[in-house]
Amino acid sequence: MSAGLSQHGHPGNGHTISPSKSPRKPATPYVTSCGTSLCFDGSTWIEKGGTGYGQYDTPTTLVAEAQSGKLNTIELVEFDTRYHQLSDAESAATWNRLDQVIADARNAGLHVVLNLSEFGQSLQAAGYTMSSASWQPEWNQYLSFIASRTNTVTGVKYGSDPTIAMVELWGEIPAPNLSNPVGTAAQMQGWYSATTAEWHSLAPNILVSSGGFSYLNKSGAAGIPWQQIMRDPNNATCDIEINSIGDRDVTTPMVTKYCQGIGKPWFLSAWSSCLKPPRSSTDLDGYATDAQMATHAAAMYAIASGHSPATHRALGADFWNLGPATTNTCQLGPQFPLTWAVVHGAP
């Protein structure tokens, strides 16, 4: 998987790229949206990733794990050094170590996805909601901070770094009709519209998306105006998570059909295969053996590849989480040889 950088500074042979006889867009150092797929370097590109939670202090190990699984992307999520502390969101401690992670990924020919869910959760923990007058200004300032930051290792600004394939705003955002909502449906739609537009204005070459939705299988999609959010012109992809039977059997076919109709790619932005008891009979996360974990992993990649219940291939899929085994673990790696073989062999 290890590969150098081209003379233009974009990742090279570390990516799994499906060649296209007629590239839909000219070659560019950035990942771009092209119809119901993503493109990179003029050809269709299938994102294959895992989250790096808990390993940002050991970037060399994190990158090696990604290479071991033949991943081409590391999703950076929950990367602040202090959990859900708003004061840490822009700290040097947080961003200097992220600089090194991104630099190491870049040098290995990998992309990264920046998942900003933690900022929303930190705002909420600090008492902010979407009705707060400073909610949108806080987000705009945070996005400006990221886009204008110069990586202390590579010297490249985040807003113009082709290593960053995409920014996801907030996965598993609290639903308006469930407990502890962050806002109403109208406020949620307005925030996503304003925030994707803000990122696009700051970093027009780097894709931005909503982040993976949960709860869409519930009555009335639990109040989430997902269709309006997904068809917003600045929201590049249709992101969903598969954490439950409802996510798999209701949300996935519903969303993929809708997004195929509006000509946008869909993203399986999170799935997990954990060695632990499931949280409930409807959850798709806990398994008793490596063999059962492997069966579930294969099912997730089959869905992302375009098999039932999906209607067309996803732009890619990310699992939670890269890492060594721990008690009741969701960490995937060579410690689970059957599951890791599925990850390694997935297209």
Side-chain angles (χ1 to χ4, degrees):
M1 278 293 293
S2 180
L5 301 178
S6 77
Q7 61 180 342
H8 300 292
H10 61 266
N13 296 330
H15 295 276
T16 302
I17 299 175
S18 301
S20 172
K21 292 181 180 179
S22 300
R24 285 174 260 182
K25 287 196 173 186
T28 167
Y30 297 95
V31 172
T32 62
S33 179
C34 46
T36 56
S37 302
L38 293 185
C39 285
F40 173 67
D41 203 21
S43 298
T44 300
W45 180 69
I46 303 300
E47 192 266 9
K48 181 181 175 184
T51 56
Y53 176 71
Q55 297 199 84
Y56 305 124
D57 288 323
T58 55
T60 300
T61 300
L62 177 59
V63 167
E65 289 167 350
Q67 292 175 311
S68 171
K70 286 197 170 181
L71 307 185
N72 58 27
T73 305
I74 301 173
E75 182 176 337
L76 307 179
V77 60
E78 297 279 1
F79 47 77
D80 291 358
T81 58
R82 299 175 63 196
Y83 184 73
H84 293 178
Q85 294 292 315
L86 194 57
S87 60
D88 194 47
E90 297 178 15
S91 72
T94 287
W95 288 91
N96 286 347
R97 86 174 173 174
L98 208 64
D99 290 347
Q100 188 65 60
V101 172
I102 294 173
D104 284 6
R106 175 188 175 96
N107 289 337
L110 305 177
H111 278 109
V112 301
V113 169
L114 279 183
N115 186 317
L116 307 185
S117 301
E118 186 172 22
F119 185 70
Q121 293 160 351
S122 296
L123 281 172
Q124 194 174 20
Y128 293 80
T129 67
M130 289 178 175
S131 63
S132 302
S134 56
W135 176 269
Q136 192 65 54
E138 288 280 352
W139 271 98
N140 291 351
Q141 195 281 326
Y142 184 59
L143 296 184
S144 178
F145 167 81
I146 295 172
S148 62
R149 177 179 176 82
T150 298
N151 188 306
T152 57
V153 180
T154 65
V156 179
K157 280 192 175 181
Y158 274 59
S160 55
D161 188 349
T163 309
I164 303 172
M166 184 164 65
V167 167
E168 289 188 280
L169 293 179
W170 193 341
E172 296 186 32
I173 192 169
N177 293 352
L178 300 181
S179 61
N180 198 30
V182 71
T184 66
Q187 288 168 342
M188 184 177 291
Q189 181 183 345
W191 171 73
Y192 272 118
S193 179
T195 311
T196 55
E198 180 69 12
W199 178 262
H200 185 70
S201 71
L202 293 167
N205 291 316
I206 297 176
L207 302 177
V208 61
S209 72
S210 64
F213 285 121
S214 291
Y215 317 119
L216 300 188
N217 60 295
K218 296 186 178 295
S219 176
I224 297 173
W226 63 275
Q227 292 175 314
Q228 295 92 324
I229 292 168
M230 289 182 180
R231 69 171 177 251
D232 189 283
N234 292 307
N235 186 14
T237 68
C238 301
D239 301 355
I240 59 173
E241 300 188 2
I242 298 182
N243 300 312
S244 69
I245 292 172
D247 292 337
R248 182 192 66 192
D249 295 348
V250 177
T251 297
T252 301
M254 176 178 72
V255 169
T256 57
K257 181 178 180 180
Y258 177 77
C259 288
Q260 187 173 38
I262 62 173
K264 283 191 177 182
W266 75 278
F267 183 28
L268 177 47
S269 63
W271 62 270
S272 58
S273 199
C274 309
L275 186 68
K276 67 175 187 179
R279 291 170 294 178
S280 76
S281 61
T282 62
D283 285 332
L284 296 175
D285 60 351
Y287 301 94
T289 66
D290 181 20
Q292 292 174 357
M293 293 165 63
T295 297
H296 177 62
M300 294 297 99
Y301 282 121
I303 290 172
S305 295
H307 300 288
S308 181
T311 56
H312 63 288
R313 187 183 183 106
L315 66 89
D318 285 357
F319 64 82
W320 181 291
N321 182 59
L322 274 165
T326 58
T327 303
N328 289 339
T329 186
C330 291
Q331 311 284 76
L332 295 186
Q335 69 271 19
F336 297 114
L338 298 178
T339 306
W340 201 236
V342 172
V343 172
H344 185 277

